[in-house]
Amino acid sequence: MSVGHLAEVFEELKQIRRRGGKQNAQAHSEIASSLEDAYAVLIEAGQRETADLLRVVIVELKSLEKSGSLVRALEIKTLADRVFGDPAKAETWLQRPNRSLSGQKPADLLEDELGAAVVRELLERIDHGIFA
């Protein structure tokens, strides 16, 4: 690996960002992979301090990816509790396959923001009395 490769890694990061700043696990995975490459180049070039700073960014990105999923799940769980008025009923609804979701369990869709938005919309429809 060379410094030229480091420039390629940063260009790849810019391309990922330009693709719309996807907020999903694939984008985070691509960014983390590119940062790992940059880290290796910096270590090889003897720039330990800069590499250590980059390592902190990589760890934070991976943590953010996990916490984003947790925040989504908590938000939907709270909304379901409010809509159903009972945490047990809400949990049952989240874990049961749903015809409106093509037989998928609402809880299974909480891995990314798009799935959470679909579940959130369905819960809001139920809350407003729109069942079909």
Side-chain angles (χ1 to χ4, degrees):
M1 286 192 205
S2 66
V3 175
H5 182 69
L6 183 60
E8 291 172 13
V9 168
F10 286 120
E11 186 59 37
E12 183 180 337
L13 286 171
K14 287 194 280 185
Q15 290 298 327
I16 292 168
R17 185 170 178 232
R18 284 186 196 121
R19 285 196 298 254
K22 298 182 286 183
Q23 295 294 322
N24 61 30
Q26 180 185 0
H28 284 214
S29 164
E30 290 175 15
I31 292 169
S33 175
S34 293
L35 290 175
E36 296 272 352
D37 290 346
Y39 176 79
V41 169
L42 288 169
I43 290 293
E44 191 171 297
Q47 302 214 2
R48 183 74 185 175
E49 289 179 18
T50 306
D52 288 343
L53 289 173
L54 191 56
R55 173 59 60 197
V56 170
V57 171
I58 293 168
V59 169
E60 287 298 318
L61 179 64
K62 290 179 180 179
S63 173
L64 178 63
E65 182 179 328
K66 291 176 186 170
S67 68
S69 179
L70 177 61
V71 168
R72 277 193 299 275
L74 288 173
E75 177 190 0
I76 296 297
K77 174 74 170 118
T78 301
L79 178 59
D81 288 352
R82 184 180 60 77
V83 168
F84 292 105
D86 178 15
K89 287 180 183 178
E91 187 61 30
T92 299
W93 184 84
L94 287 167
Q95 298 301 326
R96 183 176 292 151
N98 191 307
R99 279 190 297 167
S100 297
L101 300 173
S102 301
Q104 298 178 81
K105 296 177 187 176
D108 292 344
L109 297 177
L110 302 181
E111 292 299 316
D112 60 25
E113 190 56 45
L114 181 61
V118 170
V119 174
R120 188 179 304 108
E121 174 72 22
L122 185 56
L123 283 167
E124 288 171 359
R125 290 178 63 152
I126 292 169
D127 194 31
H128 292 309
I130 305 169
F131 298 106

